[in-house]
Amino acid sequence: MSERRDSSVKRRVSNKNEPKSESINISSDSTKSVAPVKSGGEETEIHLRNIKSAINQSIVDPLQVTKPTAIATTSTPTVENPNDVPLAIYYLVNFQHVCIFTALLPLFTLFTCFVTAYVFQYDEVHETHCRVYNIVPSISAITGVSPQRYFWRFSIALHLGPRIPIAFIYKNYYRTMLEKMQTKMQTERLANINSMITMILTLNCIEIASLGGVTYISNRENYPIHEKIFITFMICSLCHMLATIKLNGILHEDHTELSQTQRDSIKWKKILFAMSIISTVGLLIFFAKHRFYCHDLAFSWFAFFEYLIAIANMLFHFTVIWDFPCQHMLVVQATRTKVEEIFRSSSPKMD
């Protein structure tokens, strides 16, 4: 019994000596309650310091005033007077180089398409509705297969770009020459020649548009439309050639004023026009033989004359290098009035 009493007394004494957990209150301007932690340990002190610092950081100073943000203002830019814009040239290029590139690019592309299609796609480009023997594929055939069609279309896109400005340059060129002859001609004849110049411009623009239509609407995709556009191209091309030769004959009645390059230009225009007429007759004859009678090699002869027409047309437009041997194209910063004042004595009429 005495032993049991001693053990119970010892347990009571040990329970009194054990540390008790207590709640610690931390305040910094405002009282905050913290979860109970064990006292007496180093970890407890570190934990308390962390809590204090977190509370101090969360307190906002009521006296702190936020400074207003300055609002940026932009002043309306003043518009300069267009007449005060200084004269500046941004681009200058030899016009003859532009014409050479424009005229020879489709010729080079056509030759490339012919060789590659003839070598690598022989059966595909010689296929016709008659299924007869042929050795020369048509232009539509070699430019209608892949990848030649993409190369041809890209080339024609680059070709058509300068063709429009060249057409209007020719119009101003002819009108400038016509102004020099006003004292030698009657008013009625001057009006007729001026109408012819406008007609040449119109035919040239229709020819350019037809070339784009024939290129981008192939005979494989839509043959009826392709055929009609091709006929339009042929008619406008021949009429443009004839009207140009006729106009040059009127404007240069006195051939003593012509330079050698101008003589060469007129001579080759006539030769190429005659070549186009003969080739057109041959093309129509062999097209009829192929379409209605399916003769052997009829389509090859048709294609041969088609190539002659295309080459004659390209070389006809290539004569522009003789008509404008030393001209330049420029992009200038100036008002229209200032440009006209500077170039009034030598430039064509601008409209």
Side-chain angles (χ1 to χ4, degrees):
M1 294 293 292
S2 61
E3 291 178 358
R4 290 180 180 176
R5 290 178 182 175
D6 293 338
S7 61
S8 61
V9 171
K10 289 180 181 180
R11 282 197 299 269
R12 291 175 184 175
V13 173
S14 62
N15 291 334
K16 291 180 180 180
N17 294 332
E18 287 180 0
K20 296 181 180 179
S21 60
E22 57 183 359
S23 177
I24 302 174
N25 295 331
I26 303 170
S27 62
S28 175
D29 296 340
S30 62
T31 305
K32 303 288 181 178
S33 62
V34 182
V37 295
K38 292 183 179 181
S39 61
E42 183 178 356
E43 293 180 358
T44 303
E45 294 179 359
I46 296 174
H47 185 61
L48 291 175
R49 285 197 298 268
N50 292 337
I51 294 175
K52 285 183 179 180
S53 63
I55 293 174
N56 291 331
Q57 291 177 2
S58 64
I59 296 174
V60 179
D61 187 1
L63 299 178
Q64 184 179 1
V65 180
T66 304
K67 295 182 180 180
T69 305
I71 301 175
T73 58
T74 57
S75 59
T76 305
T78 58
V79 180
E80 296 182 356
N81 187 357
N83 295 325
D84 297 335
V85 176
L87 181 67
I89 296 176
Y90 293 129
Y91 184 71
L92 177 65
V93 63
N94 191 319
F95 184 63
Q96 192 178 55
H97 295 168
V98 175
C99 296
I100 292 173
F101 173 80
T102 302
L104 294 185
L105 179 62
L107 184 62
F108 169 77
T109 307
L110 185 65
F111 176 77
T112 304
C113 291
F114 177 83
V115 172
T116 55
Y118 200 89
V119 173
F120 299 106
Q121 295 159 298
Y122 183 87
D123 294 333
E124 189 174 356
V125 297
H126 284 89
E127 182 181 357
T128 62
H129 75 283
C130 289
R131 300 188 181 278
V132 294
Y133 178 70
N134 290 296
I135 58 174
V136 180
S138 66
I139 294 177
S140 299
I142 64 173
T143 59
V145 295
S146 180
Q148 286 83 355
R149 76 162 64 96
Y150 307 115
F151 187 34
W152 176 250
R153 290 177 179 179
F154 178 73
S155 172
I156 293 300
L158 296 178
H159 170 77
L160 295 179
R163 284 284 300 273
I164 297 295
I166 291 174
F168 283 90
I169 289 171
Y170 260 118
K171 183 203 69 170
N172 293 330
Y173 170 71
Y174 292 140
R175 285 186 175 176
T176 302
M177 298 176 64
L178 185 61
E179 289 177 358
K180 298 178 182 178
M181 305 175 63
Q182 288 182 352
T183 57
K184 302 178 183 179
M185 292 185 179
Q186 298 178 357
T187 305
E188 184 178 354
R189 191 181 182 190
L190 288 173
N192 293 334
I193 297 174
N194 196 27
S195 300
M196 183 180 292
I197 294 173
T198 304
M199 182 183 66
I200 290 174
L201 173 65
T202 304
L203 290 172
N204 199 356
C205 291
I206 296 175
E207 177 189 344
I208 295 169
S210 301
L211 177 59
V214 170
T215 300
Y216 292 99
I217 303 176
S218 66
N219 60 344
R220 295 172 180 266
E221 297 171 351
N222 195 329
Y223 180 79
I225 299 297
H226 178 86
E227 184 182 33
K228 292 178 176 61
I229 296 176
F230 178 75
I231 294 173
T232 303
F233 171 79
M234 290 292 302
I235 294 174
C236 291
S237 175
L238 293 175
C239 292
H240 172 259
M241 290 182 179
L242 179 61
T244 300
I245 294 171
K246 181 66 176 177
L247 179 62
N248 277 280
I250 296 173
L251 297 177
H252 301 292
E253 291 179 349
D254 187 4
H255 293 280
T256 57
E257 299 179 358
L258 294 176
S259 63
Q260 185 59 41
T261 55
Q262 290 175 324
R263 294 175 187 271
D264 293 338
S265 176
I266 295 174
K267 180 184 72 173
W268 279 104
K269 280 182 171 68
K270 293 178 179 179
I271 293 173
L272 294 170
F273 173 69
M275 178 179 171
S276 297
I277 290 293
I278 296 172
S279 300
T280 302
V281 174
L283 180 141
L284 294 175
I285 292 173
F286 286 101
F287 178 78
K289 289 185 177 182
H290 166 72
R291 188 70 176 269
F292 301 110
Y293 302 104
C294 289
H295 288 178
D296 288 343
L297 297 178
F299 190 77
S300 296
W301 281 106
F302 164 82
F304 172 75
F305 286 114
E306 186 182 26
Y307 285 109
L308 291 182
I309 292 172
I311 293 172
N313 180 272
M314 295 176 192
L315 294 180
F316 185 91
H317 292 290
F318 186 72
T319 58
V320 67
I321 66 172
W322 289 318
D323 296 331
F324 304 102
C326 58
Q327 281 74 10
H328 291 77
M329 295 181 66
L330 61 87
V331 177
V332 59
Q333 172 186 278
T335 61
R336 183 184 181 91
T337 304
K338 184 178 293 186
V339 173
E340 289 180 349
E341 290 177 356
I342 295 173
F343 300 103
R344 189 180 299 278
S345 59
S346 59
S347 66
K349 180 181 178 182
M350 295 182 297
D351 52 13

